[in-house]
Amino acid sequence: MLRSLPPSGVPIMPSDILAGLKDTLYGNKCLEGFKEDICRYFGVRHCFLVSSGRAALTMLLKAMRQLSPDKDEVVLPAYTSFSVPSAVVKAGLKVSLCDIDPETMSPDIDSLKESLSDKTLCLVVCHLYGYPCDMDAILRVARESGVFVIDDAAQAMGATYKGKALGTFGDAGIFSLSRGKNITTIDGGIIITDSDKIAAELSKLELKKAGFLDRLNLIFKAMIMSLLLRPPFYWIPQRLPFLKLGLSVFSTEFGLKEFTGVQAGIGRRMLRRLKQINEGRKKRAGDLMAGLSGCNGVKFPREIAGAEPVFLRLPVRLNRIDDCGKAGLGIVRSYPYPLDEIDALRPHLVSDGRNFPGAKEFSMRVWTLPTHVYVQQKDMKNILEHYSLKSEV
Ligand SMILES: *Cc1c(COP(=O)(O)O)cnc(C)c1O
């Protein structure tokens, strides 16, 4: 009756929480173990763990600024998670926007070139919903202008471009382990890099210590999440407005804290399941696309040549721009508008009077369908029905 699907999510098992608990009791060996697992998985030399994806981005930008102190602009796609500009501003830097191609969600290359200046420190590439961007084209532009590139694979852990894992392109990559990402440790962020220089700068940055209460809080949240993400119970958090579920906010009020052993214990087990989790998402996204392929006015992103997406969610673009969501089926808007429309960000924008029509159009027409493991056959049927009705009008 009250069955309700989260827009995204990954199950946390009681055994995951036990692993986290055990690790916190017997010291933090697991932290080093998790870092080694990540380095091995992605074939990189350095890994840093922090309290969130936003914190990971902030730390990286600070490290890059140390290496290029006279540059203070960061190029971002005009449509992405509000966490990304939050991190740039937290690092004390300015945001320069570039448009996206609404067909592929990848940066518009002409617009990208216009966004660069001699003050550009870095370019952040975001692979939304697990769809890889056109890395060859982007890296070519970056190489010509000599800017750093951060490969933000917060939504794309396990996806590849021409056989190479996202997160490993450019100078450094990040992943998020927050709720609603490919795998989760409740909160958490990962930085990976092969650059010794960036790693050396990162090692110098201080993180706030995580205390006993932080650990307790994480365990408590893990237990709650393990229960409430399930469709019979998800209506409960959905009706608690103070949880601000699914809201992407622009805010620099977040900590730069240590990652804990509790999280590493959960993370090590999650990483082992990543392939299987991604396979499941791919299968369900494929079924949804096949089912919706005949609907009028419904489009899916065009995949870039060489891309293997992981479908964290399945974005659909509709011809119509009215409300076509359905919370109970996990069908939601992702980010309500492009970054240039965030009032609080305006003072930090490199304002040059440019427009971002691709980002605007995409933001008005996109809805995301859930692809996680709780989406069952009958949910698929309901989602398909919902959109066949919408497409008839
Ligand atoms: C979620 C997300 C982040 C930030 O991760 P948090 O762990 O939520 O701070 C950064 N970039 C993108 C593209 C994201 O989707």
Side-chain angles (χ1 to χ4, degrees):
M1 232 353 209
L2 283 170
R3 181 177 172 82
S4 189
L5 290 173
S8 63
V10 54
I12 296 186
M13 322 252 196
S15 51
D16 297 331
I17 304 174
L18 276 179
L21 263 173
K22 211 164 106 193
D23 200 61
T24 229
L25 292 178
Y26 296 110
N28 281 339
K29 265 199 312 234
C30 222
L31 273 174
E32 287 310 312
F34 189 34
K35 282 190 203 169
E36 282 164 21
D37 290 353
I38 292 163
C39 285
R40 205 173 314 117
Y41 199 99
F42 291 99
V44 292
R45 305 231 307 276
H46 307 283
C47 168
F48 295 81
L49 299 171
V50 292
S51 50
S52 69
R54 274 161 294 170
L57 270 175
T58 309
M59 303 279 291
L60 252 182
L61 290 168
K62 285 186 172 187
M64 289 173 172
R65 183 81 198 274
Q66 288 302 316
L67 296 169
S68 275
D70 51 338
K71 303 193 174 177
D72 67 350
E73 293 179 10
V74 180
V75 175
L76 304 181
Y79 191 74
T80 188
S81 164
F82 293 5
S83 299
V84 182
S86 304
V88 176
V89 173
K90 178 110 174 163
L93 301 167
K94 289 195 214 122
V95 173
S96 170
L97 297 176
C98 84
D99 205 6
I100 61 164
D101 174 352
E103 301 289 332
T104 60
M105 305 182 289
S106 194
D108 177 296
I109 294 300
D110 291 329
S111 177
L112 172 59
K113 286 180 184 162
E114 281 179 48
S115 315
L116 298 167
S117 78
D118 50 9
K119 300 293 267 177
T120 307
L121 173 69
C122 169
L123 155 63
V124 182
V125 185
C126 302
H127 312 279
L128 294 187
Y129 321 112
Y131 280 71
C133 289
D134 189 351
M135 292 313 294
D136 279 351
I138 295 167
L139 291 175
R140 209 175 300 128
V141 175
R143 221 170 285 128
E144 279 165 16
S145 57
V147 302
F148 285 118
V149 174
I150 296 181
D151 190 8
D152 177 350
Q155 301 187 20
M157 198 183 212
T160 58
Y161 173 79
K162 299 196 172 167
K164 184 169 151 73
L166 297 189
T168 65
F169 288 87
D171 299 282
I174 70 133
F175 301 105
S176 165
L177 297 168
S178 300
R179 292 159 287 181
K181 302 296 167 134
N182 307 78
I183 56 171
T184 186
T185 59
I186 314 304
D187 283 315
I190 300 172
I191 301 171
I192 55 176
T193 183
D194 267 334
S195 158
D196 295 338
K197 275 190 193 160
I198 293 174
E201 289 302 328
L202 283 169
S203 311
K204 290 184 209 159
L205 295 172
E206 293 239 351
L207 288 172
K208 212 172 139 215
K209 293 262 173 280
F212 177 71
L213 278 179
D214 291 306
R215 290 173 168 78
L216 206 63
N217 187 22
L218 281 163
I219 291 164
F220 179 71
K221 279 189 184 160
M223 292 199 293
I224 298 278
M225 222 181 107
S226 160
L227 184 71
L228 294 189
L229 260 187
R230 293 160 204 259
F233 303 115
Y234 189 70
W235 61 272
I236 304 173
Q238 224 169 20
R239 284 180 201 186
L240 300 175
F242 62 86
L243 288 180
K244 299 208 169 90
L245 277 186
L247 277 190
S248 184
V249 289
F250 172 76
S251 165
T252 53
E253 302 290 308
F254 60 88
L256 303 178
K257 265 195 189 177
E258 282 179 344
F259 193 80
T260 65
V262 183
Q263 290 159 298
I266 300 174
R268 289 193 88 173
R269 294 170 52 93
M270 285 272 178
L271 188 61
R272 277 182 232 132
R273 298 205 289 271
L274 177 64
K275 262 215 171 77
Q276 177 205 337
I277 290 169
N278 283 341
E279 290 293 321
R281 286 200 173 107
K282 190 171 166 185
K283 164 87 176 61
R284 286 178 290 273
D287 290 349
L288 284 168
M289 281 193 271
L292 286 168
S293 62
C295 289
N296 271 333
V298 173
K299 269 202 273 185
F300 300 99
R302 180 162 50 80
E303 290 172 26
I304 295 285
E308 280 285 342
V310 288
F311 306 100
L312 179 62
R313 304 181 186 192
L314 180 65
V316 292
R317 268 169 71 213
L318 305 183
N319 275 348
R320 42 195 295 180
I321 57 169
D322 54 332
D323 190 338
C324 295
K326 187 146 182 157
L329 292 176
I331 306 175
V332 297
R333 274 214 190 283
S334 54
Y335 315 114
Y337 37 82
L339 302 188
D340 58 314
E341 293 179 23
I342 301 176
D343 284 332
L345 180 61
R346 288 222 172 98
H348 308 280
L349 282 182
V350 174
S351 54
D352 46 12
R354 285 162 66 219
N355 287 317
F356 309 99
K360 180 66 187 170
E361 199 222 294
F362 190 78
S363 77
M364 290 194 304
R365 299 187 190 281
V366 70
W367 292 86
T368 69
L369 312 186
T371 59
H372 52 73
V373 72
Y374 295 121
V375 180
Q376 296 177 356
Q377 220 54 46
K378 60 181 172 188
D379 301 313
M380 291 269 189
K381 208 171 128 263
N382 289 334
I383 293 173
L384 297 181
E385 246 162 46
H386 176 72
Y387 276 106
S388 344
L389 285 179
K390 294 281 179 196
S391 71
E392 276 161 17
V393 189

